[in-house]
Amino acid sequence: MTRTVLYARVSTTEQNIAHQRTQAEQAGFKIDEVVADDGVSGLATALKERPEGRRLFDILRKGDTLVVRWVDRLGRNYQDVCEAIREFMKRGVVIRTVINGLTFDGATKDPMQQAVRDALIGFMAALSQAQAEATKEAQKAGIAAAKAKQEGDGKAYLGRKPSYSREQLGIVRGMVERGAGTSEIAKATGLTRQTVIRVREEPVKAEAALAAWGI
């Protein structure tokens, strides 16, 4: 009997495993089991090296479906993500994303369709790594900016505390990538339209603000 398994990964306290399951179920997925890694970096730690990530390779069988919020939950390293998806497809596992509603499997034998599929996997994996590296740089910039603005009393000037969490920032980015409108994003995240617009137009600045506040 085939199963649908959700793999959730959270690397900060602002992210939430339960929220990833809720998103998947709202998108129409019927989840049989949730496998989750908490507090694990997708950039520094390969999927097979994570405690629960390893389990995926043990439990998933031909015909099973692996659901992830987006490809970046599998990892933030280009090579690791591509290799993991290829191995799952070789085993007959179908990979589906909640955001974008994409499906990756090894069913097609047509070389042109395979080329398009593999190019899309490569693009999304590369984008995941690029976003992770940009986030790290933005965090460094935010911390550096806070340190540079030391006042006479030794306290850093941090500006106004962001009205969004790191998880909300991630959701905004994901929805922007799939072409969602401002109102749709605001409804999904609970943020105001003005905040969504600001985050969408200045993502690096938005990340730096979170970093400056240590969020």
Side-chain angles (χ1 to χ4, degrees):
M1 186 174 179
T2 61
R3 295 183 300 166
T4 297
V5 177
L6 170 69
Y7 177 67
R9 179 180 62 80
V10 297
S11 54
T12 72
T13 56
E14 292 295 326
Q15 297 173 344
N16 188 290
I17 292 171
H19 181 65
Q20 290 182 43
R21 176 167 190 162
T22 299
Q23 276 188 310
E25 291 175 338
Q26 288 177 341
F29 291 101
K30 293 183 178 180
I31 305 300
D32 296 311
E33 182 178 353
V34 176
V35 175
D37 279 302
D38 194 348
V40 180
S41 167
L43 186 61
T45 311
L47 183 61
K48 284 186 175 181
E49 294 174 358
R50 301 172 212 154
E52 295 303 302
R54 259 195 317 269
R55 281 194 62 225
L56 292 178
F57 294 93
D58 294 333
I59 66 175
L60 290 172
R61 299 288 183 268
K62 183 177 181 180
D64 288 343
T65 298
L66 171 61
V67 178
V68 289
R69 184 176 67 85
W70 201 63
V71 168
D72 65 357
R73 295 305 84 197
L74 291 175
R76 294 282 202 168
N77 178 278
Y78 171 81
Q79 197 67 37
D80 177 46
V81 172
C82 288
E83 289 178 357
I85 292 178
R86 290 193 192 103
E87 181 167 342
F88 285 131
M89 290 193 301
K90 191 180 298 184
R91 296 183 180 196
V93 176
V94 178
I95 301 96
R96 298 186 63 188
T97 67
V98 176
I99 295 176
N100 300 100
L102 298 175
T103 299
F104 299 114
D105 61 43
T108 181
K109 302 302 179 184
D110 181 85
M112 289 301 294
Q113 292 181 355
Q114 289 177 341
V116 172
R117 177 202 64 200
D118 293 345
L120 181 56
I121 291 171
F123 170 75
M124 294 179 72
L127 182 59
S128 294
Q129 181 168 338
Q131 287 178 332
E133 291 174 348
T135 296
K136 286 183 68 176
E137 289 304 312
Q139 289 174 336
K140 290 179 183 178
I143 293 171
K147 289 181 178 179
K149 293 180 178 178
Q150 292 291 323
E151 295 182 325
D153 59 2
K155 294 180 180 178
Y157 174 71
L158 303 179
R160 181 180 297 178
K161 187 174 183 179
S163 59
Y164 49 88
S165 67
R166 187 167 297 282
E167 181 179 8
Q168 287 172 316
L169 175 60
I171 295 173
V172 171
R173 284 179 168 175
M175 295 186 72
V176 166
E177 285 160 8
R178 69 177 176 84
T182 301
S183 296
E184 181 183 355
I185 297 174
K187 184 177 180 180
T189 59
L191 299 174
T192 66
R193 283 175 50 86
Q194 291 77 11
T195 299
V196 171
I197 292 171
R198 188 167 65 252
V199 169
R200 183 186 63 202
E201 294 181 349
E202 299 181 296
V204 173
K205 186 175 180 181
E207 176 64 48
L210 287 176
W213 277 86
I215 299 175

